[in-house]
Amino acid sequence: MTIYLPIAELPINILLLLGLGALGGILAGMFGIGGGFLLTPLLIFLGIPAAVAVATSTNQIIASSVSGFLAHWHRNSVDIKMGLFLLIGGLVGAVIGVALFTILESIGQIDLVISLIYIVFLGFIGLLMAIESGRTIWRNRNGSSAISSPVKKGRMKKFRELPLPFQTHFPRSELTVSAILPIATGVIAGMLVSLMGIGGGFIMIPAMIYILGMPTGVVVGTSLFQIIFITSLVTVLHAVNTYSVDMVLAVILIIGGVFGAQIGTAIGLRLPAEKLRWMLALIVLAVCVNLALGLLLEPENLYSVTELEE
Amino acid sequence: MNSCEHKSRGLLWHWPFKNISAIFLVIICILSSAPQALARPIVANISPRSVDITHDFDGRDVLLYGARTDVGRIIVVLRGPRKDYVVRKKERVGGLWINNQSAVFRNVDSFYTIASTHNLSEIDNNALLTHLQIGNTDQLIIRASGPLTTEQEELFRKAFINERVNSQLYSPDVRPISFLVETLFDTTLRFPRNIERGWYTAEVYLFNNGQLSAMQSTPIEVRKKGFEAFMFDFAHNHAPLYGIVCVLIALLSGWLASTLFGRGK
């Protein structure tokens, strides 16, 4: 069953795309992450142009973020004020990111930059998670009942103690920090959204816990809150600048994702948390290695042809 | 814009009849009345005159047929929208294979296919063929702009033609032209499944003793049809609105999903 994607301009199997969307949804349900970081590279492996893969993943993330956000909203685990400050930075970062994306595409280096950023981030996060969850599993197996991975909130405390202006109180997080910190965090996350086609949750959440010192209960909801707005803006910017959002592809991925999320949630409830993190770490590292090989091995065809748009 | 460029480039005149029986009739009339006074040594038509790309499009044959009233060798070229391309070459830089050198080819046919009654070398006027941009795909003259040596340019030119041949947009073989009788000929040319939309031209040349004795050019349009065309035009002509609709769809389906499944984690 093939369907012609009008923007990617190629025919592709619809079941394959539904499965891919479901895979993203399963990951989202199991691990509570967006799954964009896997979806984008997988779409590229399928032959979809990198620009279309990034822009369309961004569009798809809006849907899964809305579902996730609503669940947190009902449980009152969203710090709207903090979310708004993150959002201000995120919007600026998104605009910078899309401008960078357009420049890189015109000089033919967008694929390289996307791969490199992915390799660095996935490698770093995959290794950290593998080490942390591996240790916990090892400790549990040896009968030690030590509490697994206590959150070391104190580690990055110096960021909060810098003598920065605009000290602001955030009642929901019971926290007073300089407004510059969440805005700067937002700028970086926003740039990554435009360049990588991800929600950026896996960058935002550690930053919110370790740098801003927010209570862990509100970070996921707050990050989802601002991701909805950033991904919406980035989708429109990509649509206007690079014409690379494929609505048909996005709808298929969303449908797959909705069902995948139900499956993922069910699996996630049955498996112990550290085993889940260990599995996720392996997936992340596998994607990272695959991307790295693409840059390190000599390609079959050295030449590529691109049409120049006037 | 493409169509304007096309018209100024080569459209000499149109043959007004749409089917082969009409052509037969006209030719018989002309031949029987005043064969010496015939103004045009070669006439041709192409069918269909437009090709629609739909969701199940899998390429399309087009039939070119016509008549000659003069002796000579016939060449038919079907080629299409001229575009600018950049060819990039990956090189190893610091252990990584990245795009490094590049060459820009401007105003190049994005599609090219050729048919001929004879071996092209029998025309015996290379300068003329080169001038008309007729030849085997590897003989096509495509000039790169940019600071390149002749050798580098040749490599990039070959890479470009290779890419076109591999994606079936340039056909390396010269297709045959068959004769029904001495004067009536036809040939079948093919648009592959990945053909781009735009204006193409079917050019018919008659060569006599190495000289061009007649030429006719007929336009043919390739267009997207139906839902695909609608989406493509929507995304390109109303980009902001298209982006907003994409966002609204995603917002709505996210909300729908959470209502339907009540994700009460």
Side-chain angles (χ1 to χ4, degrees), chain A residues 25-40:
Chain A
I26 289 174
L27 288 170
M30 276 172 80
F31 307 113
I33 52 159
F37 73 96
L38 273 181
L39 206 55
T40 310

Side-chain angles (χ1 to χ4, degrees), chain A residues 247-270:
Chain A
M247 198 191 286
V248 175
L249 177 59
V251 168
I252 298 171
L253 292 175
I254 290 171
I255 294 171
V258 166
F259 289 99
Q262 307 311 314
I263 304 169
T265 312
I267 301 173
L269 291 174
R270 279 177 210 175

Side-chain angles (χ1 to χ4, degrees), chain B:
Chain B
M1 195 198 109
N2 263 342
S3 67
C4 298
E5 181 189 273
H6 161 87
K7 273 172 191 150
S8 62
R9 199 152 53 85
L11 183 61
L12 298 182
W13 51 275
H14 279 262
W15 188 252
F17 300 101
K18 294 238 184 291
N19 59 55
I20 204 158
S21 56
I23 292 214
F24 272 96
L25 192 70
V26 168
I27 289 162
I28 289 163
C29 293
I30 293 170
L31 291 178
S32 58
S33 57
Q36 281 81 15
L38 188 67
R40 298 166 192 131
I42 194 162
V43 291
N45 192 16
I46 191 160
S47 172
R49 290 292 275 272
S50 66
V51 171
D52 294 334
I53 302 180
T54 52
H55 71 279
D56 55 352
F57 182 73
D58 197 32
R60 181 81 154 88
D61 282 334
V62 291
L63 175 73
L64 187 138
Y65 54 89
R68 64 171 177 187
T69 54
D70 203 351
V71 288
R73 291 157 176 169
I74 302 170
I75 292 181
V76 172
V77 175
L78 179 60
R79 60 174 128 214
R82 296 198 157 196
K83 296 194 171 160
D84 300 339
Y85 293 92
V86 57
V87 180
R88 297 194 171 94
K89 188 187 180 195
K90 281 202 165 68
E91 274 161 46
R92 198 167 198 150
V93 180
L96 301 179
W97 288 92
I98 63 174
N99 286 333
N100 197 0
Q101 222 176 26
S102 66
V104 175
F105 295 96
R106 294 206 180 272
N107 212 19
V108 184
D109 283 320
S110 59
F111 174 82
Y112 176 90
T113 182
I114 182 169
S116 172
T117 50
H118 294 72
N119 201 319
L120 290 184
S121 57
E122 289 177 37
I123 302 289
D124 202 28
N125 189 341
N126 273 330
L128 179 62
L129 289 185
T130 305
H131 177 73
L132 294 171
Q133 277 281 30
I134 299 173
N136 293 318
T137 44
D138 54 353
Q139 293 165 345
L140 289 177
I141 305 298
I142 298 167
R143 292 242 87 92
S145 51
L148 295 168
T149 65
T150 324
E151 277 170 24
Q152 286 169 330
E153 185 183 346
E154 182 58 17
L155 285 174
F156 277 106
R157 192 184 73 92
K158 280 208 168 113
F160 175 76
I161 291 172
N162 257 338
E163 186 270 347
R164 290 282 112 177
V165 170
N166 286 339
S167 47
Q168 298 183 318
L169 291 166
Y170 279 19
S171 45
D173 306 317
V174 179
R175 298 186 74 122
I177 295 176
S178 50
F179 282 92
L180 274 68
V181 292
E182 178 82 7
T183 51
L184 298 176
F185 63 90
D186 69 29
T187 184
T188 308
L189 299 163
R190 184 164 182 80
F191 283 122
R193 66 191 301 209
N194 53 338
I195 194 76
E196 288 179 53
R197 58 185 197 164
W199 283 92
Y200 294 75
T201 48
E203 298 158 3
V204 182
Y205 299 90
L206 183 67
F207 289 94
N208 203 343
N209 293 326
Q211 294 306 314
L212 181 63
S213 62
M215 187 269 185
Q216 182 199 328
S217 173
T218 311
I220 173 166
E221 187 184 15
V222 173
R223 54 194 178 194
K224 287 194 183 188
K225 248 298 168 58
F227 181 68
E228 286 72 24
F230 172 76
M231 293 300 287
F232 190 88
D233 290 339
F234 186 19
H236 282 82
N237 300 338
H238 308 279
L241 183 63
Y242 175 85
I244 290 167
V245 171
C246 286
V247 168
L248 288 179
I249 290 176
L251 288 173
L252 202 70
S253 39
W255 172 78
L256 251 176
S258 84
T259 322
L260 283 179
F261 295 98
R263 296 183 58 178
K265 273 197 294 182

Side-chain angles (χ1 to χ4, degrees), chain A residues 44-58:
Chain A
I44 296 171
F45 294 152
L46 281 185
I48 289 170
V52 177
V54 167
T56 309
S57 295
T58 314

